[in-house]
Amino acid sequence: MESRPKVTPLTRPSVRRSHVPPLGVHPTPDGGVDVAVAAAHADGVELCLIDVVAADLPAGDPARYAERRVALDGPTYGVWHAHVPDVRPGQRYGFRTHGAWDPAAGQRHNPAKLLVDPYARGLAGDLSYGPETLGAVSALSDDDPGWWVAERYGEPDDRDSLAHVPHSVVVPAQPGPPPLSRPRVPWADTVVYEAHVRGLTARHPDVPPELRGTYAGVAHPATIDHLRSLGVTTLELLPIHAFASEPRLVAQGLTNYWGYQTLGFFAPHAAYATRAAQDAGPAAVLDEVRGMVHLLHEAGIEVLLDVVYNHTCEGGDESLHVSWRGLDNAGYYLHDGASPAALADVTGTGNSLDFRRPRVVQLALDSLRYWAEVVGVDGFRFDLAVTLGRTHHGFSADHPFLVALQTDPVLNGLKLVAEPWDVGPGGWQTGQFPPPMAEWNDRFRDAVRGFWLDAPREGSHGRPMHGLRELTTRLAGSADLFGHSDPPLLRGPVASVNYVTAHDGFTLADLVAYDHKHNEANGEEGRDGTDHNLSWNHGVEGHAPGDVEGGDTTTEPWSAVVPLRRASQRNLLATLLLAAGTPMITAGDELGRTQGGNNNAYAQDNPTSWLDWDLDDAARDLLATTRFLLALRREHPALRADSFFLGTPRPGEEATDLLWFAADGTPMDRDAWGVAGRRVVQMLRPGPADGNAHVLLVLNGGLDDVEITLPPSGDGSWERVWSSTWDRPEAPEDDEPGALTMESLSVEVFLGR
C-alpha cells in the first residue's frame, strides 16, 4: 500500500499562539499594519503591496503598477499573519497563496492570481472579465462571445491578474457613530421602504445632478422629505457591499443592477458614491456612506442593509477566481462531498458559502458588527437566509450563526429580517426563524395578490373564486406562521414583514397591467423570472400609453380598464398598509412606477428600474392615497398591533381584541367561514386603550356590488374615512352609517368610538 506524501507548510509557526490577530489589515499607531488572513489549506501566503508607478498608463496595463511581496507567518489555526511596518492608509494590497492545485479535491491555490482581502474596508479599481481573472485554463463560451469559461478540473492559468482585479486598500480606523443617534423605531410603528441607492434618485429633479444616484443623493433633503411625508420610518437599501457583475452579463453588454454578487463584505460599493468621493479614494467613499446614515438618523429614519452572505460573486468553479476561491476554496464554499469535488449550490448562483465552517460564520458576524458599529446602520435583511442556517442535516433554527444573532451584544438589539428560503432541499422555512428576527412573509404576498387579482381574473372567466380565509389569516398577523415559539406567541405579528411587491417581481403598477412577464431585455429569452405572478391585466396586456405618459386614456378599451387597475392598486395598498404586521413598500409603487412588465429587472441599470419623479395626476393621486393610509396607520393604535390577537378579551380588558362580521353585520361563526366562495368580510379592530378609535375594514372581493350592514359601534355610529373607489382620499360630505351599497372589488375603512 502506497503511503501519501507528507505535505509540509512552507513556513511553520514559531509560536502556537492562543490569540490570532483580527482578520484583515489594520493600521497600528507605529505607522504599520497588522495583517491576518484565513487560508487554512495553503502552504504559504504573501501580502502583496501595490503602488501605482505610471498613472498615465491604463488600469489594465501591468506596467502601471509595482508590487512588493511580504511572506506572512503561520499558519496559526489556519490564519496567516504578520506585522508589517511602514504601511499607511491608502496603500493598495492583495494576497497570493501557494499550495495544492487539486480541483478534484476542492483545492485551488494559484499564486498567479492576486486575491482581494475578504476583510478589505475599501477597494480600488475594476474587475475585468478575461482569462486573467479565472483560476484554471479557459476558453471562450460557445453561448456568448467574450465570455470566458474555465475548465472545471483544468490546469492552473499562469497569467498574472494584478492589473485585472480590484485592489484592497488600507483604510484608517473609523470612530463609531454616537451611541444615542439611532432612531430605534418600535417594531409596531415600523414602515419599511425598500429602495436602490441609484434608482431612488437617478432621475430626481430636485437632487443636484452630481448627487443623483449616490449615497449623498439618498440623504438629500428632497429625498428625505419624500420619505418623511410618505410616513416611512425605515429605509431598506438593496446591497451596498462591493459587488461585481456576472461574466455572462458583461459579455452581453449588461451589468448586475441589484448587487446580489458580493465582492467585499466590508467595503461599500464605490460606484454609488459621488465622483468627488470616488476620486478621493475608499476612505472618502466610506465617509459618504457614514454621512448618509447620519443624516437619515437626524431625520428619524432607520437604515437597514440588504446583505448577501449566502454566496459570492465568484460563481461556479468555471467562473471567477478573485478572493475566497483562491484563499481556501474548500473552507469557504459548500461542497457536495463527492469525488471529484463539486460545489453544492443551494442559492442558484453557482456557489454557496458553507455556514458549517466557523470562519464563514465569523466572516459574516465580523462584517455585520462593522456595519453596525462603524457605519451605524440599524439592521439587516438577510438574502436567502436559509443558507445561513444550514447544518450537515439541513436548516436549523438553532444554527450557531442564528444563535449568535440572538445573543451578540452588538447585533441582538438591531432589526434583523430573514428572507426565509433558498433553493436547496427544505429551502422554504417561512415562520421558522428564531426571535428577535422578523421574516419576509411570502404567504402574505400570495394571499393578497390571490384575493384581489388572481381570483377575480378567474372569476371573470366564470371560474370559482377563493382566498378569503387565507387573506383574513394574513390580515390578522399570520399567527399560524409566526406564533409557534417557546413560549407560544412570543414573536408577535410584527415578525411578519408584509409585502405585496419587492425588487424581485412585478411592480404594483405592473401587477395590475400584465398577466405574463416580459423579460426580453435581460438577454435570457424570457427564461428568467417567475411565472407565478398572481397578477391580472384586467383584460388587456400592458399599459395604455396615457397611463404612463400622461396622454389620453378615454378611448376604448382603456377608458374601462384603467380605472379598474387604479382601484386594484388601492385595494392592494390598503390591505398591505392596514394589516397587522410590519408593512414594506417597494420604492416607486406609491408613484405608479412600471418596469414595462419585466419581473426580474436585475440587469436593468437604466430608466426601466429607476424611479420616475415626473408625476401625472394619477401618480399624484396614488401618492396622496399612500400617504393617507400610512397616516391612518400612524394615528390609530388599533392598526399597529404588537401582539397576536386572541379573539377574546385580554386580561384586564372587557372588549374582544378582534372581531369578524359577515356582510349583513352578523358575527362570523364556524359555519360562516365554511361558506364556499365567500368574498365579503368585515374586520373590527377595537382601540386598545380608552380614547382610541375602533377601526373597521370592510372588504368586498366579489365581482358584484353588495349591500353591507355595519356591525354595532361603541357609540352607535361609524365614520367612513376612506374607500378604494375614491381616486383621492377625500370622504364625501353626505356619508352616513348603516346600510350601504359597496362596489365590487373594493375596500372601505370606518372609524368608531
Side-chain angles (χ1 to χ4, degrees):
M1 182 176 183
E2 286 188 348
S3 61
R4 290 177 174 268
K6 185 177 180 180
V7 177
T8 303
L10 297 182
T11 305
R12 287 187 175 276
S14 57
V15 177
R16 183 72 67 182
R17 303 183 185 187
S18 61
H19 172 71
V20 176
L23 295 172
V25 176
H26 303 278
T28 56
D30 63 359
V33 291
D34 285 335
V35 182
V37 60
H41 292 90
D43 294 337
V45 178
E46 295 169 318
L47 171 70
C48 305
L49 301 173
I50 302 159
D51 298 301
V52 178
V53 294
D56 55 324
L57 295 177
D61 189 336
R64 176 183 170 91
Y65 309 102
E67 178 184 0
R68 296 169 287 154
R69 300 187 185 184
V70 178
L72 301 183
D73 297 327
T76 303
Y77 305 115
V79 175
W80 299 80
H81 49 84
H83 175 75
V84 183
D86 299 322
V87 176
R88 291 172 172 76
Q91 175 68 57
R92 297 184 179 212
Y93 71 97
F95 295 112
R96 297 183 189 271
T97 61
H98 300 265
W101 177 268
D102 187 0
Q107 303 299 329
R108 294 176 176 270
H109 303 99
N110 184 344
K113 308 304 176 182
L114 185 76
L115 304 175
V116 170
D117 179 6
Y119 278 71
R121 269 58 170 170
L123 297 177
D126 297 319
L127 177 69
S128 66
Y129 293 86
E132 296 85 359
T133 53
L134 302 178
V137 294
S138 58
L140 285 169
S141 167
D142 294 333
D143 299 324
D144 291 286
W147 173 17
W148 289 85
V149 178
E151 295 180 15
R152 179 167 294 183
Y153 302 108
E155 294 300 312
D157 182 277
D158 60 2
R159 282 169 280 208
D160 196 314
S161 67
L162 183 149
H164 303 277
V165 295
H167 301 154
S168 307
V169 177
V170 179
V171 172
Q174 298 283 340
L180 300 180
S181 66
R182 299 190 190 280
R184 294 200 180 277
V185 179
W187 268 112
D189 300 338
T190 299
V191 176
V192 180
Y193 188 84
E194 187 201 37
H196 187 285
V197 167
R198 192 194 307 284
L200 184 60
T201 64
R203 305 171 72 186
H204 201 307
D206 297 329
V207 173
E210 66 274 14
L211 303 185
R212 292 175 190 165
T214 69
Y215 301 116
V218 171
H220 187 271
T223 313
I224 290 176
D225 286 349
H226 176 73
L227 297 176
R228 294 188 65 181
S229 70
L230 195 60
V232 168
T233 68
T234 306
L235 177 64
E236 180 180 306
L237 295 174
L238 267 68
I240 66 170
H241 289 171
F243 65 87
S245 293
E246 299 90 321
R248 177 190 60 79
L249 287 180
V250 175
Q252 294 176 324
L254 300 171
T255 59
N256 189 306
Y257 171 67
W258 287 349
Y260 291 89
Q261 294 288 335
T262 307
L263 178 59
F265 292 113
F266 293 80
H269 192 60
Y272 294 161
T274 57
R275 173 46 56 188
Q278 292 183 54
D279 291 344
V285 171
L286 178 59
D287 284 343
E288 186 173 316
V289 178
R290 285 160 48 88
M292 171 192 71
V293 173
H294 176 70
L295 290 172
L296 288 163
H297 282 177
E298 283 194 332
I301 298 172
E302 297 176 311
V303 180
L304 305 188
L305 299 186
D306 193 339
V307 288
V308 189
Y309 295 111
N310 58 81
H311 73 281
T312 76
C313 70
E314 289 189 304
D317 282 328
E318 70 283 355
S319 192
L320 299 172
H321 185 112
V322 294
S323 183
W324 307 271
R325 177 159 288 139
L327 288 167
D328 192 355
N329 184 59
Y332 278 111
Y333 290 124
L334 185 66
H335 284 72
D336 62 4
S339 181
L343 293 173
D345 181 9
V346 298
T347 65
T349 65
N351 69 65
S352 307
L353 284 170
D354 189 352
F355 272 76
R356 302 171 305 177
R357 306 280 187 169
R359 289 297 182 201
V360 173
V361 173
Q362 179 187 7
L363 173 67
L365 291 173
D366 287 349
S367 169
L368 292 168
R369 293 188 198 101
Y370 176 77
W371 287 92
E373 292 187 299
V374 174
V375 183
V377 302
D378 304 282
F380 305 92
R381 178 266 188 188
F382 296 93
D383 180 66
L384 299 184
V386 170
T387 302
L388 316 185
R390 285 193 176 273
T391 68
H392 290 280
H393 308 291
F395 174 79
S396 172
D398 296 324
H399 188 285
F401 177 70
L402 301 181
V403 172
L405 292 182
Q406 298 172 73
T407 57
D408 185 274
V410 173
L411 303 175
N412 71 357
L414 303 181
K415 283 192 165 79
L416 306 174
V417 181
E419 183 184 39
W421 51 79
D422 66 12
V423 300
W428 187 80
Q429 295 289 339
T430 303
Q432 301 304 308
F433 281 77
M437 297 189 77
E439 301 174 40
W440 276 24
N441 189 349
D442 56 318
R443 289 277 294 275
F444 182 96
R445 174 200 63 200
D446 291 350
V448 175
R449 291 187 184 189
F451 186 81
W452 291 117
L453 299 177
D454 187 60
R457 177 169 53 80
E458 293 295 296
S460 68
H461 294 287
R463 292 187 281 269
M465 299 170 64
H466 305 289
L468 180 64
R469 296 188 67 168
E470 176 73 7
L471 179 71
T472 54
T473 301
R474 304 303 146 223
L475 280 170
S478 298
D480 61 326
L481 297 174
F482 302 101
H484 304 287
S485 58
D486 183 18
L489 308 181
L490 187 66
R491 302 174 71 185
V494 296
S496 173
V497 175
N498 299 334
Y499 68 106
V500 176
T501 68
H503 66 276
D504 185 2
F506 280 144
T507 67
L508 185 69
D510 288 353
L511 268 181
V512 302
Y514 294 93
D515 279 358
H516 308 286
K517 65 188 180 186
H518 296 267
N519 296 359
E520 293 76 16
N522 296 346
E524 299 185 49
E525 299 180 352
R527 294 185 299 270
D528 63 306
T530 182
D531 293 312
H532 184 65
N533 296 296
L534 299 173
S535 58
W536 182 28
N537 65 19
H538 294 73
V540 184
E541 187 79 353
H543 289 283
D547 201 24
V548 294
E549 297 175 6
D552 182 17
T553 59
T554 60
T555 59
E556 293 292 342
W558 305 114
S559 59
V561 169
V562 169
L564 292 175
R565 290 177 174 179
R566 293 175 182 172
S568 288
Q569 290 185 69
R570 294 190 290 269
N571 289 334
L572 295 166
L573 275 175
T575 309
L576 169 65
L577 301 180
L578 303 182
T582 303
M584 184 185 79
I585 304 169
T586 304
D589 276 355
E590 76 278 18
L591 309 175
R593 182 177 75 90
T594 175
Q595 292 179 167
N598 192 324
N599 75 349
N600 189 36
Y602 76 104
Q604 302 302 316
D605 188 1
N606 54 54
T608 297
S609 299
W610 303 341
L611 272 66
D612 184 358
W613 295 92
D614 184 12
L615 308 185
D616 59 14
D617 289 341
R620 283 188 284 271
D621 289 346
L622 187 62
L623 177 58
T625 295
T626 308
R627 286 171 172 163
F628 178 84
L629 292 170
L630 282 174
L632 201 64
R633 180 186 184 90
R634 185 168 60 251
E635 293 165 5
H636 298 289
L639 293 171
R640 304 195 309 278
D642 201 21
S643 301
F644 285 117
F645 298 110
L646 302 178
T648 62
R650 293 180 178 276
E653 300 179 5
E654 297 181 1
T656 300
D657 61 1
L658 176 64
L659 299 127
W660 300 97
F661 298 91
D664 61 3
T666 60
M668 293 279 287
D669 56 20
R670 185 181 299 274
D671 291 338
W673 284 111
V675 174
R678 182 182 289 275
R679 298 285 294 174
V680 179
V681 72
Q682 303 188 66
M683 180 187 192
L684 175 55
R685 293 159 68 171
D690 290 342
N692 295 157
H694 306 318
V695 180
L696 178 69
L697 273 65
V698 187
L699 291 77
N700 178 11
L703 299 179
D704 299 312
D705 296 352
V706 177
E707 290 294 319
I708 301 291
T709 300
L710 302 181
S713 68
D715 62 2
S717 65
W718 289 103
E719 176 191 5
R720 180 167 63 173
V721 294
W722 185 79
S723 171
S724 65
T725 63
W726 303 342
D727 289 334
R728 294 185 60 82
E730 298 170 355
E733 295 180 359
D734 59 351
D735 187 51
E736 295 182 0
L740 67 139
T741 300
M742 190 169 178
E743 292 187 19
S744 63
L745 299 178
S746 64
V747 180
E748 309 254 327
V749 182
F750 297 82
L751 297 181
R753 299 290 174 186

